[in-house]
Structures are given as structure tokens and as C-alpha cells.
Amino acid sequence: MKNNALKHPIFKIISQSAEALGIDAYVIGGFVRDFILKRGQHKDIDIVAIGSGIDLARQVAKNIPNHPKVQIFKTYGTAMLRYEDIEVEFVGARKESYTEESRNPIVENGTLEDDQNRRDFTINAMALDLNPSRFGDLLDPFDGLKDLDAKLIRTPLDPDITYSDDPLRMMRAIRFATQLNFTIENASLIAISKNKDRIKIITKERIVVELNKILESEVPSIGFLLLEQTGLLDYILPELVALKGIDEKEGQRHKDNFYHTLEVVDNIAQNTDDLWLRWAALLHDIGKAPTKKFSKKVGWTFHGHEFEGSKMVYRLFKRLKMPLNEKMKFVQKLVLMSSRPIALAQDVTDSAVRRLVFDAGDYVDDLMILCEADITTKNPRKFKKYHNNFKLVRDKIIEVEERDQIRNFQPPISGEEIMAAFGLKPSREIGTIKERIKEAILEGEIPNEHKAAYDLMLEEGKRLGLTQVIASD
Ligand code: ATP
Ligand code: MG
């Protein structure tokens, strides 16, 4: 195994460079873990030097034929260089001690053991020796290998101290459990629950990096269930926690929208890798908590939850310092429209499909993916029926699109043309005529063509009491 791991020529170069400087160096962390797990080539390699990581990086760059640039991060005492498609990070072995207020420790030079002690998990603390005489030897002081085998996330030292020192590790534990489908050992889970409020000292940006990695995993619900179970979700996404629970009144119950949401996210993860579409699935029902009502007549309702939800998306993105750009607008729009195809699937008419395509524009395909993922009924007959109906909607979308080209609707008659036809200045009538033409096309009264639209314009102008100006050449 070990020599295979270090097949890439970069490792020989690092090994020789370290020897030239008379220091020891090791590969550590994610690269070692992912190699043993056969997760494919890990693109960032972490090197620990027992000495200066910056000096080692400079020496390595000298020994690479095209002498890549070394980026130096003075404050952290680290250095980075690129070799082909690989990013190599160099750090001197450290010993760390933490203070109460910050996740930034006091750092001193240390031994390899000191450095392994400060690593977050046993499976991330394994190192491979690069010293020429011990090339490839595995240094695994905390039985990380055994934990890889048992699929266990465990901290090298006391979990209570590990998570309290750097609360980001709580997010990382849950993220790795999700990505690797591992179990977090019980002592860790207890320590995370105990230290959950320390998550407040972590920047939103770093939390979101981990959230995104959870969402990008094969089964994202693993992570969200752990976040919920440990209480971290209350701090990070209280909007989701608010969806938890089933209320019953006068014998009427509604479904638990938290677990429903997680099912939708797992479903959509099978059909798309798009992070933002996955975010839309995660947030598609958040408006249900504030809009929930019970009435004797109709039971439980969530009127307007899509609109409320889309407004909440903005506030949530802002709070988490996520981008307030077109990605956020995409999520908002999908949340806003998330019930449309379902309603439509009851009765698939041409005009309803045209309206859906008109309103959703380029998002219509993503919206269909979301809505199919939203089918979580456990009743096999209904499950089949809904999917069949969606198949009909999809077919009709294609049909309507080929015929009417509604997706990025451009009115077949322009305002200028209307003004010219009736000798008008800009006025309210132009808007009225345009709206009438758009409605007629969406309703299927006329095809989306110039001639038909022109005739309708004349008719509508007459109704409004306008007189046609005869064009004179
Ligand atoms: P991935 O690259 O898939 O995120 P990784 O394990 O390589 O996984 P990195 O964030 O690249 O994770 O960090 C590299 C190594 O640094 C880890 O394997 C771990 O040993 C150590 N490490 C990173 N973050 C922490 C932390 N917050 N506390 C302790 N050790 C950490
Ligand atoms: Mg890494």
C-alpha cells in the first residue's frame, strides 16, 4: 500500500529536498486518509516539516524543473505551491494551546507527535514518512487505520477539549460523517452537544463551507440529522428546526415537514449535483412554519408559504453571509414556484403548462427536478400516479415549447408597432393591448406568431375605441 500512495513524483522531490535541508517531513491528513479509503486522488497534499515549512517549500520549488512560485503565509508560517494539478501545502510541526475566546491557538514549534495531537480526528492524523530510509512508513499513533475500518469519527484527545478548543471541528465531524458515511463515536456526539453554543465564535463563512460540503454529499440527510440531534441546527438553520413536529387538532394531523424536507434533499441529490438546486430543496418548505393555520373547515393549511419562504431565503442568506446574487435569486424563485407543478399535475392543460413555462423561464427544468423530488408519499399508488402526471407535464412542456416558444417570451408585437398602427404616443392603451396579446397566447387563443398577434391588436384597438392609421408610403 504505502509505496503506491507515494507514486506521484512530487513525493520523491519533497523527500530529497527535506534530506538536503537535514530535516524530516511527512505527508499527513486528507491525502493519507483518502488514499487508504480509495476515494480517488486527493488534490491537496499537506506536508509537515519538523523544522521550517517555508524553507522546505522553497527547497522543493528549486528542485522542480519549472520552479513554481511559492506562496508564503507569514502569519500562519505556512507555504503553498502548485505542481501540475496538485496543490502542496507545507507547515512546520506545531504544538498548540488554546484560549477561551478564539479558535486561533497559541502556536509553538513541536514534534510530529505534537502535530498529530492537534489534528481533529484519528483518521486525519495519519502520516506517511518521507525520509528516504523510511519512505512510505505509516505513523498512526491513534489507530486511525482501525477507525477507517470501523467507519468511525473519533478525536485523538479528549473530545470535550478538542471541540471546545476549535468548535469548527464540530461541523467538520458532521461533514466527514456525511461525506464518508461514517459514525461519530458517542463521546464525540455528547461533547458536540455540550459545546454546541461555542459554534458562535466560528465565522459564518466557515460554517457555510461545511454546510455546502454536507449538501454536496450523496446522502445529505445524514448531516442534517446530526446537526439537529446535537442541537447545532438551532444556531445555524433555525428555520429548519421550526419545521419539526406534527400537530394534531380534532383528529387532523399534518406531516412532519422537517423529515419531509430531508427526504426531498436526499431525493434531489440523486438527480442533480447543482449545489443551489440542493439549497432550494432544503429551503423549499421553510415558509410553512410561519404560515401554519388550523381551521375546522379545511384542517391544516400553509397558505402563501411559498411567498413567505422566498422572503425568508433572503434573510437566511444574508445572516449566513452567503452570496446575495443570482444564486440567491435562483433559490428564491424555486421556493416561490415550488408548488406550481404539483398543482398542475392534477390537471395537465396546455394553457397551465404555457403559464408555468412563461413564469419559470429558464428555471423550468430545475423546477421540475425539485418538484419530482418533492414526491415523498409512502402510498405506492399515489407515488406512481404523481410521477406519471409529472411525466405528462414534462412531455407537454416540450410540446408547448416547440410550438409556442414561451420560455423566454418576447411579445410578437412591440410597443412601437402598436403606436404606429394607431398613431399613439406612449400611453396606457399600449400596455392594455400588449397584456391582451400575452394572455391570448398563454391561454392558447392565438399562436405565438406575428400575424395572429397583429390581428388581435387591431381587434383590441377597436374595442378600446382607437382608429387605425393607414400607413402611407
Ligand atoms: P478535505 O480536503 O476533503 O476537506 P482534509 O482532511 O484534507 O479533507 P483539510 O481541511 O484539507 O481537510 O485539512 C487538512 C488536514 O488538516 C486535516 O486532515 C486535519 O488533519 C487537519 N485539520 C484541518 N482542519 C482542522 C481543524 N479545524 N482542527 C484540527 N485539525 C485540522
Ligand atoms: Mg484536504
Side-chain angles (χ1 to χ4, degrees), residues 33 108 133 169 211 261 274 281 290 363 383 402 422 463:
R33 179 197 69 226
E108 308 162 65
S133 61
R169 293 169 182 158
L211 268 184
T261 292
D274 185 306
Y363 298 156
F383 184 87
E402 277 176 0
F422 299 107
R463 198 184 65 78

Side-chain angles (χ1 to χ4, degrees), residues 192-362:
I192 294 174
S193 302
K194 190 175 150 202
N195 288 290
K196 63 185 176 199
D197 67 312
R198 298 223 0 112
I199 198 69
K200 288 182 191 147
I201 69 168
I202 303 299
T203 65
K204 301 291 190 300
E205 289 85 347
R206 280 177 175 276
I207 291 175
V208 168
V209 167
E210 301 302 325
L211 268 184
N212 285 344
K213 287 185 178 177
I214 291 170
L215 259 182
E216 282 172 329
S217 303
E218 216 172 298
V219 186
S221 65
I222 297 172
F224 289 101
L225 288 169
L226 285 167
L227 288 172
E228 195 274 320
Q229 188 192 328
T230 53
L232 282 170
L233 203 59
D234 291 299
Y235 295 87
I236 301 170
L237 292 168
E239 295 87 347
L240 289 182
V241 182
L243 294 179
K244 249 192 82 176
I246 299 173
D247 273 332
E248 179 165 341
K249 266 192 189 161
E250 313 200 1
Q252 302 211 54
R253 293 153 60 90
H254 63 78
K255 67 175 173 240
D256 184 308
N257 284 302
F258 176 67
Y259 294 105
H260 163 71
T261 292
L262 296 191
E263 271 185 76
V264 177
V265 173
D266 284 349
N267 283 345
I268 210 162
Q270 312 227 337
N271 293 317
T272 182
D273 289 331
D274 185 306
L275 174 64
W276 302 104
L277 188 44
R278 290 179 178 205
W279 266 106
L282 185 69
L283 304 181
H284 82 284
D285 268 350
I286 50 173
K288 280 191 174 170
T291 57
K292 182 160 98 175
K293 284 206 171 64
F294 181 81
S295 79
K296 279 193 169 106
K297 250 207 207 130
V298 287
W300 293 103
T301 58
F302 307 91
H303 282 310
H305 78 82
E306 302 88 347
F307 182 62
E308 184 60 31
S310 72
K311 286 193 297 184
M312 290 166 74
V313 167
Y314 171 78
R315 299 199 286 267
L316 186 155
F317 269 51
K318 195 165 170 194
R319 187 186 70 230
L320 292 178
K321 302 217 164 68
M322 288 168 66
L324 301 175
N325 58 11
E326 71 287 353
K327 301 297 182 197
M328 187 222 33
K329 288 199 188 125
F330 167 80
V331 175
Q332 277 191 308
K333 177 117 185 185
L334 260 74
V335 170
L336 182 65
M337 294 195 70
S338 56
S339 305
R340 288 279 296 277
I342 298 257
L344 198 156
Q346 318 288 328
D347 180 23
V348 194
T349 65
D350 275 22
S351 61
V353 169
R354 256 187 242 106
R355 278 184 189 283
L356 177 74
V357 176
F358 177 80
D359 291 338
D362 280 337

Side-chain angles (χ1 to χ4, degrees), residues 8-124:
H8 197 285
I10 188 72
F11 294 115
K12 272 264 144 56
I13 299 175
I14 300 170
S15 173
Q16 284 156 4
S17 307
E19 201 186 23
L21 296 178
I23 61 175
D24 280 327
Y26 304 85
V27 194
I28 197 161
F31 178 88
V32 182
R33 179 197 69 226
D34 285 354
F35 175 78
I36 297 168
L37 285 175
K38 302 190 175 64
R39 281 186 91 211
Q41 175 82 268
H42 197 97
K43 293 290 177 210
D44 51 302
I45 298 178
D46 293 289
I47 303 292
V48 186
I50 315 305
S52 162
I54 295 173
D55 289 350
L56 179 58
R58 288 199 173 115
Q59 184 69 26
V60 169
K62 264 193 225 161
N63 290 340
I64 294 175
N66 67 348
H67 309 308
K69 221 180 91 210
V70 179
Q71 258 190 68
I72 292 169
F73 307 95
K74 261 230 174 83
T75 27
Y76 302 100
T78 65
M80 197 271 279
L81 60 80
R82 270 173 234 278
Y83 181 76
E84 294 168 356
D85 60 339
I86 287 183
E87 221 173 68
V88 195
E89 188 153 337
F90 298 84
V91 57
R94 328 170 171 175
K95 193 181 160 118
E96 294 183 343
S97 42
Y98 285 83
T99 57
E100 179 72 10
E101 305 75 39
S102 155
R103 64 174 289 265
N104 300 319
I106 299 158
V107 180
E108 308 162 65
N109 293 337
T111 61
L112 175 69
E113 290 71 42
D114 290 330
D115 199 89
Q116 284 174 307
N117 276 330
R118 73 170 182 89
R119 301 273 157 178
D120 49 5
F121 307 113
T122 60
I123 59 169
N124 286 348

